[in-house]
Structure formats: C-alpha cells, structure tokens
Amino acid sequence: MTTVRVAAAQFFSGDDVEANLALCRNYLERASAEGAQLVVLPENANRVRDHSDRKVCFEHSEDLDGPFVTGLRATARELGLHVAVGVDLRGPREPDVHIASVLIGPSGDIIGVHRKHVLWDYEYTLFEPGDAPYEVFDTALGRIGLLLCADGIVPETPRALGLLGAQILCNSLNSRGPDELRVHVPLRAMENRVFHVAANTVGGPELEWPWMGGSQIVSPAGARLAEAGELEPGLVVADIDPSEADDKQMPGIADVFAWRRPDLYATLTRPLADVPAAAMYGPAPADLPSRIVPTALMQVSHFRGIEWTVMRALGQIAHAGRRGARLGVLPELFCFAPGEVAGDPAAAAERSRDVLSRISGACAAAGLHVAVNLVEEDGGLFHSTVFLLDDQGAVAHRYRKTHLTDAERTWAAPGDRITVARTAIGAIGAMIGDEVWVPEVARVLALEGAELIVHPTSWSAPEAMHVAATERTEENRVHLVSVTRLDCPAGLGSQALRADDFVPGQPIALMRYPTGYWTRPGFEEQLVLDLDLRESNDKMMGHHLDPLAKRTPHLYSMFTEP
C-alpha cells in the first residue's frame, strides 16, 4: 500500500491576478505544511469572470506561459507539489478562450492540460469548449484524470477517464449549484470506483447567488474522506491509496467495469444528429402541448405468499385505474420472496407466466398500462424481464435486464437490447434494480428518445436513490419512476423524479435538482402523479446547456471497446 496525501482548497478569486496568485500560493504552502503531495485548486483560480463579452474575456485570460501559470509552476517546484488548477486560457485565435485544468508536477513542469468539454450555461457565451481526446496522466502519485465542473454533471468525461485507467480525478469547480456536493462528485467516484478530489469556489459577491463550496475528497466507495462545507474558505486533506481504485468491485453488486455491455452502447458514439433524441434537443417548442400521463407508483411486494401478494397487486391496479392513472409500475420481482427466484428459477418462471396473465387481465379491466418485472424463460435460459402491458393487457414491450449483478448471474442470462417502447401514452424505457448505477443504460434510453423510464427496484443503499437515480434524471432530462420493494435493503420508499422544464429566472438550485416525490418505506402504498411528457422534450438545463446536445460522441470510442 502506497499512501498519498491529497488536498482540496476552496476560496474566491477576485479581479487582481497578482493577488490571486498570492492566495493560491498561500493555500499551497498550507497544504505542503500538512504533508500534501497533490493539491487541487478551483476553476478560474486566475481571475473572477466579470467579463462583459468574449473580447474582454480574452483580455482578462491567461496564456500557458503567462505570469499566473508561471508563478504556480515556481511554487510547485519550490514546494515539491503536484498541483491541479483551473485557469481560463487563451486559445490560438482571439477571442477564443478555453476553461482549462493545468496539471503541474513537483519539478514545475506542466504534465498535462485539459480544456473543458462541457460548459455550464453562461460559459457558452464567453468560452469555447475543448475537443481534444481524453487523457490520463501517469505520475509518481498514480494515474490522474482532469475534469472541470460541468464536465462532471454529465457522465461521459468521468467515465472516459475511468475507462482509460484514472485512479484519481482532479476536479476544479466554479459551481453555484448544491448538486456538486450531494450528487455529481460522490457519484462519479462511486460509479467509476475512483478517488475524486474536488475543489470549488466559495463565497463571492454578497448580493449575488454565492458559489457553493462543498470541496471534498471522496473514496471509490463514495465515502467523504474530507469535506470543506459550503460557507467558508478552507483547505481539506486526506490520505488515499490510489491502487484501491484498481479494484472495481462494488460490494454486493458487481465489478462496475466488468458488467458493462460495450456491445449495447453504439448509440453513445453515433453523431449528435443521428439519434432519435436529436428531435428533442433544446427547449420544447412553444406550441408543443402538455401530455399528461397520470402514473401510479404501486408499492407492494412479497408478503406471506405469492398468491396473497398477487391479489394485493391486482387490487392496486384496479384502484389506480379508478383514480385515473394511465401507467402503473410495480417493484422488482415483486411477487417473490428474497432469494426465491435464485433457488428455483424454473418454478419462478412458471409462476411468472400465471402472474403475467392475471395482471394482463387487470390492465384490460382498469384501462391501465403496467410495467411489471417477472422471470421469463426462453430456450432454457432465464431472464429478469420488465413486461410493459398496454391498457388492453397486451405485451407492448419487454426489457430483459442487460447488466446483471453477481448474485443474478447465478440464475439469469443477460438481455441483449436497450430499446424504447413507442406506446399510445409516450416513449417509455426500462431499467431494473442496480442498473441505476450504470450511467450508460439511462443515457442510451435518453438518446433513443425515452420520455419516461420505469425502474422496478429494490434499493440496495440510500445512495442508489438519493445520488444515482437523481443524477440519471438530471443528466438526461427524462422522468424516472423508481418503485421499490417493501423489504428493500436500504429501508427506503419509492421515488419519482421529474425532468422539469427549464424556466428563465429559475433559481439555480431548482434549475439543477429534479423535482422529487416519495412514498413512505416498508408498507403498501400508492402514489399517483401527473407527469407531463412535454418536460422530457425540453432538454435545457439553463439558457445554453443541453446535456444531450453538448456531447462529443466522436471522442467516446472507449465506451464501445470490449
């Protein structure tokens, strides 16, 4: 085991570049005094962005051989530190400026530069997004990947760096959103099983919305090893062993890289204009009408026995129909006791055929579409399958779980398609259980045009709901309806997350956090929500950021490589 001490600093850089350099030097000296070997500084540490236009932005920005970067290189050399720092760097042509992360080595050399690929909203009016291939830098401390703020509110940059072998993500932020601390930073560590060192700006002009701070150091398991809070400048330090990031096993679930299905991800590498979601990019057309789908979260699962449980589910379907619902969702393998399917998948498949027939009849009687997860047998193989039944009781679509946990591999075979059902009530995709940890699943569904994703689940941990599921809606702007078992290991209820229209003037916290609805855990309950599919056709996260249209698929070859 080789221990590396890493640090993240949070502060606010003003308009005096020389003073900002001195401030950075102060934090580097403090970090060095505490034994840090790698220090991450915030985005645009060189200067506050008070630029009136692109010309002024260019004038206020830095050259790679300019005084700010040169000064930091000298300090890194003097203190023997690795430093990752956010700097707004001039491009080769005026007025182009890139938001950059510069990795400086302990000899003062520049190890690498990453120019931000995904910009946050207003940044598109001042800066040019980077378009260089992803790189991971081998250093004496370990393999380091660089990203900046909005690069991490979409899955591609962290995932690409993880697939290229990064052990440590150095993330320089300038974020006013509460979602960095709570969602993006921990999830990008967890879903890629890497260390994540994130340094954010904090404070700023008192009468404006403040930068949120929340700098933190997160382990591959998602544990916050250190956190600076959201209010005050500060420095946090933690000891890490980068080699721990080489173990991609998520305990109790699977190896998060080995269970990937590159053969199913071709949609991720198709040109932006060549996916079904291209018709949904940008804001929803002004004349696009609302399309309300009253959706029932039917929280019922195994209790006493299968027959008892099925009767309760049929009652839920009838009740949802009386309440005017048009879509209902049942939990993961709802009618079976934990471990029952693995013990005898053939018997579970036989029972599932009967249950499917009875639910089909209930759908026709109630005039309700229902997503139900059961065991399906096909050619001697068994699948965990979501059947989407229409309001006449016919199977409109089926999804066989494509990403199996280690436990599921003992009895199930993986499916071979991630597709979207075009139904009378809308475009519906499905994922099952712990697939919420796989960013590619929801991303493919979104790019294939899903307006709503049904998610029968049994939450394995609180983070599966509060972090992973939240991110899937935020990064894809699609409704996500997760309905859990009463006996789920995390002791949580069900959750529905709305895609949410972007509305000009919306507070940043509301802009970046999807609206959520929940049921209480542990007992039978039904929640009916009016979900407007128009919202899923508004892909804007702000005035300028569409997280689907701002992708760079030509750089994603590693996503489809075995």
Side-chain angles (χ1 to χ4, degrees):
M1 182 178 80
T2 302
T3 299
V4 174
R5 181 160 291 185
V6 299
Q10 66 178 31
F11 52 84
F12 179 80
S13 293
D15 59 7
D16 185 331
V17 176
E18 187 175 338
N20 295 336
L21 177 59
L23 181 63
C24 291
R25 179 181 175 86
N26 176 264
Y27 276 99
L28 294 177
E29 289 174 339
R30 288 172 55 186
S32 178
E34 293 195 39
Q37 299 156 274
L38 168 66
V39 186
V40 181
L41 303 176
E43 189 178 331
N44 64 280
N46 58 309
R47 195 187 191 283
V48 65
R49 293 173 182 155
D50 56 359
H51 323 308
S52 57
D53 55 34
R54 290 171 66 92
K55 181 177 183 297
V56 173
C57 180
F58 187 87
E59 293 170 355
H60 285 172
S61 295
E62 175 85 0
D63 292 312
L64 200 54
D65 60 356
F68 183 82
V69 174
T70 300
L72 283 182
R73 292 177 65 185
T75 300
R77 180 171 57 250
E78 177 186 337
L79 300 175
L81 291 175
H82 288 77
V83 178
V85 56
V87 185
D88 293 343
L89 288 178
R90 292 171 180 159
R93 295 177 303 276
E94 186 175 353
D96 291 353
V97 177
H98 296 285
I99 301 170
S101 173
V102 181
L103 180 61
I104 302 169
S107 62
D109 57 315
I110 295 177
I111 296 174
V113 179
H114 167 67
R115 291 169 175 83
K116 190 175 182 180
H117 284 188
V118 179
L119 309 187
W120 167 249
D121 204 29
Y122 80 91
E123 293 172 347
Y124 283 99
T125 69
L126 296 172
F127 301 96
E128 286 294 312
D131 195 32
Y134 294 104
E135 285 187 89
V136 169
F137 304 102
D138 282 309
T139 75
L141 306 181
R143 298 186 298 276
I144 293 176
L146 303 175
L147 66 157
L148 294 125
C149 204
D151 273 333
I153 66 175
V154 295
E156 282 85 4
T157 296
R159 189 62 139 190
L161 294 172
L163 291 172
L164 290 174
Q167 297 168 311
I168 306 168
L169 299 181
C170 294
N171 188 354
S172 296
L173 305 103
N174 182 45
S175 173
R176 300 183 185 190
D179 44 349
E180 297 286 4
L181 170 66
R182 294 164 176 80
V183 179
H184 308 309
V185 173
L187 182 62
R188 300 316 178 197
M190 297 174 77
E191 69 190 11
N192 296 297
R193 303 297 290 185
V194 294
F195 288 97
H196 199 163
V197 186
N200 196 11
T201 306
V202 70
E206 288 186 16
L207 299 182
E208 296 181 15
W209 186 270
W211 279 265
M212 291 297 292
S215 301
Q216 56 187 311
I217 301 166
V218 184
S219 79
R224 288 192 175 98
L225 305 178
E227 187 211 311
E230 295 178 293
L231 299 177
E232 301 295 335
L235 178 77
V236 292
V237 176
D239 292 327
I240 68 171
D241 177 1
S243 68
E244 291 179 10
D246 297 332
D247 180 358
K248 300 301 180 182
Q249 185 71 29
M250 184 176 282
I253 299 179
D255 181 308
V256 298
F257 280 8
W259 79 339
R260 295 176 65 257
R261 297 291 304 279
D263 56 313
L264 304 182
Y265 303 154
T267 301
L268 302 178
T269 61
R270 289 166 63 187
L272 289 173
D274 292 351
V275 296
M280 306 162 74
Y281 293 159
D287 60 352
L288 185 68
S290 290
R291 290 164 51 223
I292 304 297
V293 179
T295 301
L297 286 69
M298 301 187 295
Q299 187 170 284
V300 54
S301 63
H302 188 271
F303 183 75
R304 292 192 179 178
I306 287 181
E307 183 60 27
W308 183 283
T309 304
V310 172
M311 290 297 294
R312 293 170 75 185
L314 298 177
Q316 282 257 16
I317 292 169
H319 184 55
R322 289 190 294 269
R323 297 179 69 187
R326 299 198 65 198
L327 172 66
V329 184
L330 288 162
E332 185 173 2
L333 297 173
F334 82 99
C335 59
F336 299 103
E340 183 176 357
V341 172
D344 192 344
E350 183 176 353
R351 171 62 74 167
S352 291
R353 284 190 289 272
D354 174 65
V355 172
L356 183 64
S357 175
R358 295 170 70 181
I359 290 178
S360 172
C363 289
L368 184 69
H369 292 69
V370 169
V372 55
N373 178 211
L374 296 166
V375 179
E376 180 187 20
E377 188 272 332
D378 183 19
L381 299 177
F382 301 99
H383 303 277
S384 177
T385 300
V386 169
F387 296 91
L388 179 61
L389 301 172
D390 66 18
D391 55 5
Q392 302 302 307
V395 176
H397 183 71
R398 70 186 72 205
Y399 168 68
R400 293 171 172 171
K401 189 174 185 181
T402 53
H403 297 72
L404 301 178
T405 66
D406 292 341
E408 289 166 337
R409 288 183 183 279
T410 65
W411 67 268
D416 59 6
R417 294 186 304 153
I418 302 174
T419 55
V420 172
R422 265 69 187 182
T423 75
I425 60 174
I428 299 175
M431 62 182 180
I432 302 172
D434 285 314
E435 286 185 312
V436 74
W437 291 111
V438 187
E440 290 89 347
V441 174
R443 200 60 152 177
V444 168
L445 290 171
L447 292 172
E448 291 291 341
E451 297 171 301
L452 186 150
I453 298 174
V454 296
H455 178 215
T457 192
S458 181
W459 301 119
S460 57
E463 293 82 4
M465 171 196 274
H466 298 304
V467 181
T470 300
E471 184 72 87
R472 301 304 168 229
T473 292
E474 183 173 349
E475 68 196 11
N476 294 300
R477 316 306 284 182
V478 61
H479 299 305
L480 175 60
V481 179
S482 303
V483 182
T484 194
R485 294 175 60 97
L486 308 183
D487 55 5
C488 75
L492 300 170
S494 301
Q495 173 178 265
L497 296 168
R498 280 177 45 196
D500 288 333
D501 272 316
F502 165 68
V503 179
Q506 196 174 36
I508 288 178
L510 303 184
M511 186 189 306
R512 293 175 53 149
Y513 243 114
T515 302
Y517 307 87
W518 298 271
T519 65
R520 292 161 294 188
F523 62 95
E524 184 175 337
E525 195 163 19
Q526 183 178 109
L527 175 64
V528 176
L529 300 168
D530 286 344
L531 297 178
D532 188 351
L533 300 191
R534 184 187 192 280
E535 293 180 2
S536 295
N537 287 269
D538 180 351
K539 294 301 183 185
M540 301 308 292
M541 194 181 287
H543 293 280
H544 305 281
L545 175 56
D546 177 332
L548 294 187
K550 298 300 185 182
R551 301 165 62 254
T552 51
H554 60 287
L555 300 179
Y556 300 158
S557 61
M558 69 289 292
F559 283 59
T560 55
E561 293 171 354

